[in-house]
């Protein structure tokens, strides 16, 4: 993770995700992820309750990946490696199927 204004970069290694998928409107699906991270790559001390907001189209394409702290914008952003891990999870067959089912509601 990269904290705005800091030179320190940490790389989180995600072990698993717990998704909550919700249809926002006729265009967007919001996915809130709670992540389990490796003990070797702990979440930065500046984050109290990190979640990940992934905004997708109804077709499952990712529009945005945003870290949240206590359900609010925060001063961190994900590294490209962290985004790749999240993207791989969202693009998995299981999650794509859940997105498609949510879009139909």
């Amino acid at each position: 993770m990269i904290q705005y204004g800091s030179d320190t970069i940490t790389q989180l290694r995600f072990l698993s995700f717990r998704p909550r998928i919700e249809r926002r409107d006729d265009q967007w699906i919001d996915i809130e992820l709670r992540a389990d991270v490796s003990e070797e790559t702990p979440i930065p001390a500046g984050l109290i309750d990190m979640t990940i907001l992934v905004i997708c189209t109804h077709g499952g394409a990712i529009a945005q990946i945003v870290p949240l702290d206590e359900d609010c914008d925060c001063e961190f952003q994900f590294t490209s490696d962290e985004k790749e891990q999240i993207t791989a999870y969202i693009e998995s067959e299981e999650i794509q199927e859940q997105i498609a089912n949510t879009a139909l509601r």
Side-chain angles (χ1 to χ4, degrees):
M1 297 199 81
I2 305 167
Q3 185 173 18
Y4 295 114
S6 174
D7 293 338
T8 304
I9 296 175
T10 59
Q11 291 284 356
L12 297 180
R13 187 166 51 89
F14 299 111
L15 301 175
S16 64
F17 296 103
R18 294 178 308 282
R20 187 175 58 82
I21 302 173
E22 185 175 289
R23 179 184 166 135
R24 181 190 309 180
D25 55 28
D26 290 336
Q27 184 176 5
W28 304 113
I29 301 287
D30 292 336
I31 304 171
E32 178 188 275
L33 298 175
R34 292 219 168 256
D36 293 317
V37 300
S38 170
E39 290 181 16
E40 298 162 1
T41 61
I43 293 173
L47 290 170
I48 297 167
D49 183 27
M50 183 190 82
T51 54
I52 302 161
L53 174 62
V54 182
I55 302 168
C56 294
T57 66
H58 281 219
I62 297 172
Q64 195 169 11
I65 300 173
V66 181
L68 300 176
D69 189 23
E70 298 184 306
D71 294 327
C72 296
D73 287 338
C74 64
E75 60 196 39
F76 289 86
Q77 64 183 9
F78 290 115
T79 65
S80 59
D81 180 65
E82 291 163 341
K83 286 182 180 181
E84 286 176 12
Q85 293 175 72
I86 296 164
T87 297
Y89 176 74
I90 296 298
E91 291 178 347
S92 71
E93 187 175 324
E94 176 187 352
I95 297 302
Q96 287 294 304
E97 186 176 311
Q98 290 181 37
I99 292 168
N101 290 337
T102 302
L104 295 174
R105 296 181 197 154

